[in-house]
Amino acid sequence: MPYPYVLLSAAVSLDGYLDDTGPDRLLLSSPADFDRVDEVRASVDAILVGAGTLRADNPRLLVNSPERRAARRAEGRPEYPLKVTVTASGDLDPDARFWHTGGDKLVYTTDKGADPAARALGRTADVVALGPELDWRALLEHLHDVRGVRRLMVEGGGTVHTQLLQQGLADELQLVLAPLFVGDPAAPRLFGPGSYQGGRLRLTETRGIEDVVLMRYEPTAPGTGPEPAAADRHWLRTACELAALCPPSRTAFSVGAVVVAADGTELARGHSREGGDPVVHAEEAALAKTDPADPRLAGATVYSSLEPCSRRASRPAPCARLIVGAGVRRVVTAWREPDTFVTAADGTGVLVDAGADVVLLPEFEALAKRPNAHLLP
């Protein structure tokens, strides 16, 4: 199921401690960066914060600029983004500022926490039980499908940031580094211990803002098994963008493909009719650039804008067979192959029968179809 775009936002000191926004707080961000945060808040559909942060810091989480609120209204959006919190216990203070400022409020909790949360808040907020445990995927699906949230800003705390990043659900990390040392061993850290992606994140921007530095990162490590991860969306978008590089054809689809190792290292990319070959397919072109003996292929993911072909006349082996033969056992695609050239094509079936996981992300179908519009009814 589609999830919102999840943006984690935090400020840290030079020794790695998280911004303390409590009543006796040490402000790590600068005034100009607070204005940047306000701009980001104004751009999203919802802002999420953990219940622990609500109890410790009593934040309001508002869009402070009247001009930005007016712009939201002019666009037909609520003046303030939806405010969301997460609590396993349902232990919430009904007098907290969070509930009495801004727009609509939403609480996600467990079956056990639903009653105490509802009793404490009454009509102040909607309360949604996710089951016996907090389930981040169910939460994100509900936000997307029921509440119409397309962009979600997560402002903490450390436990929430840790869980989203470890589960591969964060699309972006916006980290502001302040030129301060905190030195307090009890100060909160941005992330807790646990398992994170093995490879390096992708740095997408650095920007000085007064005396702090904004750094924006994207995760790069593919998901595992049939569950999509945030990085899967980044890589599949890249594959769809590669399809636009294909020389136009009236007898074949334009497709892009990327091969990515489990640690997020790009191994190869390709697109249909690459290098002047009129019949080469995208997955074929990409795999041809890899070393067949590379042990990383066994844990790699192939991203293809179109389902890998199961039958073809121009080569001995279709792309689904080439992927299996390379040892790859995970494929992410945007669009199932229509009957335009091959009736009842089923590359997914070939891959699944060989033990591969195939993940379909239909939210990218329109992007994958764009360079093929002339072939479609």
Side-chain angles (χ1 to χ4, degrees):
M1 296 292 291
Y3 302 144
Y5 185 95
V6 178
L7 184 161
L8 307 187
S9 175
V12 296
S13 64
L14 286 171
D15 48 354
Y17 289 106
L18 183 64
D19 192 358
D20 178 3
T21 55
D24 300 319
R25 61 190 182 273
L26 171 65
L27 297 179
L28 299 180
S29 294
S30 66
D33 186 57
F34 284 126
D35 185 66
R36 179 197 65 83
V37 170
D38 195 66
E39 182 180 23
V40 176
R41 287 178 180 174
S43 73
V44 301
D45 303 304
I47 304 169
L48 184 147
V49 65
T53 300
L54 286 187
R55 289 188 285 268
D57 300 344
N58 197 21
R60 296 184 304 161
L61 299 181
L62 300 177
V63 175
N64 293 309
S65 165
E67 292 78 14
R68 290 174 183 139
R69 296 199 302 271
R72 287 178 61 91
R73 291 194 301 269
E75 295 167 358
R77 297 194 292 165
E79 185 175 14
Y80 294 98
L82 174 69
K83 297 203 296 189
V84 185
T85 193
V86 183
T87 171
S89 66
D91 177 18
L92 297 166
D93 179 3
D95 295 324
R97 295 187 300 177
F98 182 88
W99 311 113
H100 304 288
T101 56
D104 292 343
K105 290 87 180 175
L106 178 60
V107 177
Y108 287 107
T109 184
T110 61
D111 293 340
K112 183 177 179 180
D115 283 345
R119 285 196 302 270
L121 299 174
R123 297 183 179 179
T124 305
D126 293 332
V127 176
V128 176
L130 297 173
E133 305 289 339
L134 291 175
D135 183 335
W136 281 106
R137 290 184 181 274
L139 183 157
L140 293 175
E141 285 182 11
H142 187 275
L143 275 177
H144 183 277
D145 295 346
V146 178
R147 301 304 297 246
V149 173
R150 297 298 180 265
R151 287 183 64 85
L152 172 67
M153 182 180 186
V154 181
E155 295 200 38
T159 299
V160 170
H161 282 146
T162 296
Q163 292 174 353
L164 287 169
L165 199 61
Q166 288 183 344
Q167 293 182 36
L169 298 173
D171 292 272
E172 179 180 343
L173 171 61
Q174 292 191 359
L175 186 63
V176 167
L177 181 64
L180 297 168
F181 293 97
V182 174
D184 181 356
R189 289 188 177 274
L190 175 57
F191 296 117
S195 175
Y196 296 91
Q197 78 160 71
R200 303 168 79 91
L201 278 68
R202 180 185 298 110
L203 178 66
T204 61
E205 181 188 4
T206 59
R207 187 191 341 154
I209 305 173
E210 292 181 342
D211 66 342
V212 304
V213 177
L214 168 68
M215 296 168 287
R216 296 176 57 210
Y217 295 94
E218 291 179 351
T220 58
T224 57
E227 293 287 359
D232 289 330
R233 294 192 285 273
H234 292 304
W235 287 116
L236 187 57
R237 178 177 293 278
T238 299
C240 292
E241 291 169 350
L242 286 170
L245 302 178
C246 301
S249 172
R250 300 209 62 87
T251 58
F253 290 115
S254 294
V255 183
V258 189
V259 185
V260 183
D263 67 354
T265 301
E266 180 180 327
L267 301 181
R269 61 174 61 191
H271 58 82
S272 302
R273 299 177 292 285
E274 184 177 329
D277 186 335
V279 297
V280 72
H281 286 194
E283 304 93 327
E284 177 187 15
L287 288 170
K289 299 169 189 172
T290 65
D291 180 354
D294 190 334
R296 295 175 295 179
L297 286 172
T301 295
V302 168
Y303 297 89
S304 179
S305 60
L306 177 66
E307 176 186 34
C309 63
S310 59
R311 301 192 302 276
R312 63 188 296 192
S314 58
R315 291 281 198 268
C319 290
R321 292 292 179 195
L322 292 175
I323 291 169
V324 170
V328 177
R329 292 297 181 267
R330 187 170 186 268
V331 175
V332 178
T333 185
W335 178 28
R336 294 294 301 269
E337 184 178 355
D339 292 342
T340 307
F341 302 116
V342 177
T343 302
D346 187 20
T348 296
V350 173
L351 292 162
V352 170
D353 288 346
D357 291 303
V358 179
V359 182
L360 180 68
L361 299 182
E363 59 265 39
F364 290 95
E365 181 174 322
L367 183 59
K369 286 181 174 179
R370 192 171 297 164
N372 297 286
H374 62 292
L375 301 173
L376 302 175

